[in-house]
Amino acid sequence: MPSPAVPRATIALAAGGTGGHLFPAEALARELLARGHDVVIHTERRGAQYTRALDGLAHVVLPASSLEGGIAAKLRAVLAILRGVLGSRRDLRRRRAALLVGFGGYPSFAPALAARSLGLPLVLHEQATRLSKANARLLRFASALATSFPTVEGADGFDPARIVQTGNPVRQAILDARGDYPPLSADGPLRLLVVGGSQGAAVFGRVVPPALQQLPEDLRRRLHVSLQCRGDDPEVLHAQLSGAGIDAQVQPFFHDIGDRLRESHLVITRAGASTAADLLVIGRPAIFVPLPHGGSREEQRRNAQTLADAGAGWHVPEPEFTPEALARLLGGLFASPTRLAEAARAASALGRPDAAARLADLVERVLAG
C-alpha cells in the first residue's frame, strides 16, 4: 500500500524495444500496483510482443523511431516521435497520470516529452554505467535519476542529491529463483547456460558447440548445456553437442529462465543491463560477450568490464570469442575447485533484489515532494 503521505495515483511507465527495457518496467509496475497505485505502460510495437510481461498490465502501443540514419530517416523519425507524443499525451490526460518513469531507449522519448508538456514530474531510470542517448537528452527535464550502478557517466551537471542508486528491477520469476550456488564436485554435473539476452545471439551457436567439443571427454560427459540460440537450426546444434557426448537442450527462447539460472554453474551471455541484473540477483558467474556493434556496444562493453573487474565473471570481446579461446577458458574454470564459486559470491554481493521496491520508494518521494 502507498505511504500515508503519498495518495493513490496513476503512474505511467515508458519502455519498449527489448526485454532489457520492458522487464524492469514490468517489475516496477507490479510493485506499484501492490502499493495501491494505478499503472499504465507506454511502449511500442516490439515491446508489445512481450505478452507475458504485459499480462494484466494496462498498456498503450505508440509509434516510435530512432533518430539514427540519414536525413530522410531522421525526418520519418521526427514524424513518428510527434505522433507518439500526441498519442501519449492523450492517454496521460485521460488517465490523469501524476508522474512518468522513463526506462531509456528511444521508445521512452515521446512519452517523456508528452509528460513534461503536461507538467508531470519525470523520473528516469538508467540501467547501464553510462546514460543512454534518450536519457541524456531528457535529463534536463527530470525530477530524479535512478541508477543501477554507483556511478553513471553522462550525468555531470545534474544535482547529485537527485541521483539515487536503486539497482535494476528484475522480474518476479528471477526473484523466485534465488538460492544457494549449486555444489561442485570432482565428478558431479556441470550445468552451463548459454543465453543471448531477449534478442538472442547467433554467435553463440557458431562458437559454443565447437568449443565444447574440444574439451576433454571426462568434462564433456559431465556437461548439461542449455543453449538459447536464434538464427541457426536447433537440431543441427543439438546433434553437434550430443555427438560429443554432451547432454544438451537447444531452444530459441527459454521461458523458464529463472529455473535454469538457479541450476547453472556458469552462464555465457551478452552484457545487457537487464541480463546482468538477473545474474547478480541470483548470484551466478558469467562469461560476458558484449555486442560488437550497434548503439548498445559501448554500454555492454562497460557493463562487462565493470562486472569482470568486480570478480563476478569474465569479459571476452566478440572478436576474441573463438572456439579455441572459449575451450581454454572453460577448461580452466571447470578444472578449478574454487574460481566459479568465488565469482558466484562476488556476483551475489552486487545483486539488488529490492531494486523494484527502492525505485517505487523514489517514485513516491517525488510524488510527495
Side-chain angles (χ1 to χ4, degrees):
M1 296 296 292
S3 164
V6 182
R8 174 175 173 168
T10 296
I11 300 167
L13 314 180
T18 68
H21 287 116
L22 193 65
F23 293 153
E26 177 205 355
L28 176 62
R30 300 197 187 281
E31 173 69 22
L32 291 170
L33 285 172
R35 297 186 181 203
H37 298 292
D38 292 325
V39 174
V40 60
I41 295 181
H42 285 193
T43 186
E44 45 85 66
R45 175 182 52 81
R46 292 182 303 156
Q49 294 174 356
Y50 292 94
T51 54
R52 290 195 178 196
L54 293 171
D55 184 34
L57 297 175
H59 60 279
V60 178
V61 181
L62 300 167
S65 182
S66 169
L67 288 169
E68 303 294 332
I71 295 177
K74 283 183 169 61
L75 287 174
R76 289 194 295 271
V78 169
L79 290 176
I81 291 171
L82 287 174
R83 292 198 303 272
V85 169
L86 293 175
S88 179
R89 181 183 167 94
R90 283 194 298 270
D91 187 71
L92 293 172
R93 292 187 66 176
R94 180 176 68 84
R95 297 177 190 271
R96 298 183 180 179
L99 179 146
L100 184 133
V101 184
F103 282 85
Y106 67 82
S108 70
F109 195 70
L113 291 180
R116 290 307 298 146
S117 74
L118 295 171
L120 303 183
L122 173 65
V123 174
L124 298 179
H125 180 270
E126 180 53 58
Q127 301 172 315
T129 56
R130 185 178 186 179
L131 282 183
S132 67
K133 290 182 179 179
N135 279 346
R137 292 187 176 111
L138 293 168
L139 190 61
R140 73 186 72 178
F141 307 117
S143 300
L145 172 66
T147 68
S148 299
F149 293 92
T151 58
V152 174
E153 291 191 22
D156 300 339
F158 192 73
D159 183 1
R162 292 189 285 151
I163 301 176
V164 179
Q165 185 189 359
T166 62
N168 196 11
V170 300
R171 295 161 285 168
Q172 188 61 43
I174 299 300
L175 295 174
D176 293 342
R178 297 176 67 208
D180 293 337
Y181 185 69
L184 278 170
S185 62
D187 56 356
L190 295 167
R191 301 192 183 277
L192 177 66
L193 175 62
V194 185
V195 290
S198 63
Q199 301 183 82
V203 66
F204 293 155
R206 296 194 299 270
V207 172
V208 173
L212 298 182
Q213 289 172 324
Q214 296 180 33
L215 295 176
E217 182 180 359
D218 61 328
L219 285 180
R220 298 200 307 269
R221 296 295 177 185
R222 295 168 58 197
L223 275 172
H224 297 264
V225 178
S226 297
L227 172 60
Q228 175 194 297
C229 188
R230 298 182 182 182
D232 292 284
D233 189 339
E235 294 181 357
V236 172
L237 298 179
H238 185 270
Q240 291 177 352
L241 294 168
S242 60
I246 297 170
D247 179 76
Q249 296 184 44
V250 182
Q251 298 179 18
F253 192 82
F254 292 122
H255 291 291
D256 58 344
I257 190 66
D259 294 335
R260 292 179 188 269
L261 280 170
R262 181 180 58 239
E263 296 168 357
S264 66
H265 293 103
L266 178 65
V267 181
I268 299 175
T269 184
R270 290 301 195 189
S274 184
T275 297
D278 291 350
L279 286 166
L280 298 180
V281 165
I282 295 179
R284 296 298 179 265
I287 295 172
F288 296 103
V289 186
L291 282 168
H293 53 73
S296 299
R297 176 183 61 182
E298 183 62 14
E299 169 194 322
Q300 291 210 6
R301 185 195 68 79
R302 289 173 181 270
N303 292 345
Q305 194 57 53
T306 297
L307 295 171
D309 290 344
W314 297 267
H315 173 200
V316 181
E318 187 166 312
E320 302 172 20
F321 187 65
T322 64
E324 295 74 21
L326 180 59
R328 286 193 300 270
L329 177 55
L330 290 174
L333 293 176
F334 290 148
S336 169
T338 59
R339 291 179 69 186
L340 288 174
E342 289 172 352
R345 285 192 292 272
S348 183
L350 295 172
R352 287 293 182 90
D354 61 344
R358 293 166 66 93
L359 183 53
D361 289 344
L362 175 61
V363 168
E364 290 188 332
R365 287 200 298 273
V366 174
L367 281 173

